[in-house]
Amino acid sequence: MTIVQVIPLVYGFGPYEKYNHNVTTDIIREVNRLKLARGIVFDVRFDSIQFIAALERYQPKVIIGIGQHPQARKIRIERRARNWHESACSTGKPIESCGPEFRYASLKIPTTWETTVTYNAGAYVCNYSMYLMCREAERMKAKYAFLHVPIHVDIQRIIEIFKTVLGR
């Protein structure tokens, strides 16, 4: 009898726009070093294939996305993604032409004095990934959450949140 261990998936993003470095890359490096989950750094682009391919490859039952939020002062627990994306090159359009206006995270992240709960993941690639991942997590019967983190976040604090959520 073969036992297949299902490893959680945590993803972040590479550099984008004027930011030569994305703190989520450092967080993913630490996740992988500690073997808390399978950590992936995605390119910052509106490309559903990169997200869906990772889910198909790893079949996780728990997925946590993290994005850098330059204006955030606290860790933002995003509860809702909107069916909308835009960029400097685009005035905006729906992510799914016939999809619901909102999709909601299914994995609860505990709140602390360092966190705030929000219902607006923006309109850029973080929201795009969250909307797609919420849809796919529901289809796969997986749990999903998304965090926006400040640029100067204490990486160990994020790791502690992950350890709590993942039971490690």
Side-chain angles (χ1 to χ4, degrees), residues 94-115:
I95 296 167
E96 289 184 315
S97 59
C98 296
E101 183 176 3
F102 300 106
R103 292 194 183 271
Y104 295 86
S106 56
L107 178 64
K108 301 294 183 200
I109 303 288
T111 58
T112 70
W113 63 272
E114 297 169 292
T115 63

Side-chain angles (χ1 to χ4, degrees), residues 5-87:
Q5 182 181 10
V6 179
I7 300 171
L9 176 69
V10 177
Y11 71 89
F13 295 97
Y16 65 101
E17 293 180 346
K18 66 180 182 181
Y19 300 99
N20 298 344
H21 181 73
N22 189 325
V23 69
T24 67
T25 300
D26 298 331
I27 296 167
I28 296 303
R29 188 178 305 115
E30 187 69 359
V31 163
N32 285 332
R33 186 184 74 75
L34 296 171
K35 297 182 170 122
L36 290 176
R38 184 176 320 280
I40 297 176
V41 175
F42 289 118
D43 292 333
V44 178
R45 57 191 164 106
F46 298 107
D47 176 12
S48 62
I49 294 170
Q50 68 178 342
F51 303 113
I52 294 170
L55 295 179
E56 288 175 355
R57 180 174 181 192
Y58 299 116
Q59 296 292 309
K61 291 299 177 193
V62 175
I63 309 155
I64 302 174
I66 49 173
Q68 176 175 286
H69 193 300
Q71 288 81 38
R73 296 187 189 281
K74 291 184 166 195
I75 299 162
R76 296 169 50 116
I77 300 167
E78 303 293 356
R79 297 295 303 141
R80 179 179 78 181
R82 184 172 177 229
N83 188 7
W84 191 258
H85 70 91
E86 58 191 58
S87 68

